[in-house]
Structures are given as structure tokens and as C-alpha cells.
Amino acid sequence: MKSKTIIQADEMLELLNKQWATIQDIMKIGALGRNKARNIKNEIERNIIDQGLKLPNNLVPMEKVIEYFKINLDFLVTINKSKNGEI
């Protein structure tokens, strides 16, 4: 079985900069397997549909993925800037 890879801040920011998230994106963000990522996508999707909204097939808003994982974007930006010597 392959080990899950935790991605670096710059890679994470690049992923989070998209409007929509796929199952593959969720897998990378959470260092999860396909089944767990699919469950998370389905949970986010259900919450949105329960609000009476519609979604494109197999996509969820990245904003909701960020909320789900409680990702601190300011911290990631700071880490990325210090890594690149901008701070």
C-alpha cells in the first residue's frame, strides 16, 4: 500500500487557489485515500444541495473544502513567503 504524501505549503496554496475541488484534490489536501476523500466530497455536496443549491458534476467549491479541513490560509502564505525568503 502506498503511503500518503503530505504536500508542502507552496503545493497546497496552488491546489487551494482553484475554484472547484475534485476527489483527487481532496485526497492531496487531506493526505487521504480515495474512499475517505469521496466521503468528504459527498458530505460537502449534501450540505450544499440541502441548501437548495446545485453543483457541477464531481466538483465541490474549494471554499467548502478549506472550511472542512479548517485550513489556515494566512499561515500557509506566511510559511511560503518565509520559505522563499520574502520575509
Side-chain angles (χ1 to χ4, degrees), residues 3-83:
S3 64
K4 310 287 187 298
T5 303
I6 297 175
I7 59 178
Q8 299 296 317
D10 56 342
E11 296 172 276
M12 180 72 79
L13 286 169
E14 191 174 322
L15 263 178
L16 298 177
N17 197 31
K18 300 189 322 185
Q19 181 176 0
W20 300 101
T22 63
I23 291 174
Q24 290 79 14
D25 295 334
I26 296 170
M27 288 172 61
K28 289 177 186 175
I29 291 166
L32 304 167
R34 180 173 290 286
N35 290 337
K36 182 65 177 170
R38 183 177 293 123
N39 291 342
I40 290 169
K41 182 199 86 59
N42 289 341
E43 181 180 335
I44 293 169
E45 196 172 65
R46 269 192 308 276
N47 290 338
I48 292 170
I49 291 171
D50 288 348
Q51 296 174 13
L53 303 172
K54 295 186 179 188
L55 292 170
N57 287 338
N58 301 314
L59 298 173
V60 292
M62 186 61 77
E63 176 184 16
K64 298 299 182 185
V65 174
I66 292 168
E67 287 175 16
Y68 182 91
F69 286 107
K70 297 176 176 64
I71 297 172
N72 185 338
L73 290 175
D74 293 333
F75 177 73
L76 282 176
V77 169
T78 301
I79 293 296
N80 193 45
K81 284 182 179 181
S82 69
K83 179 181 172 185

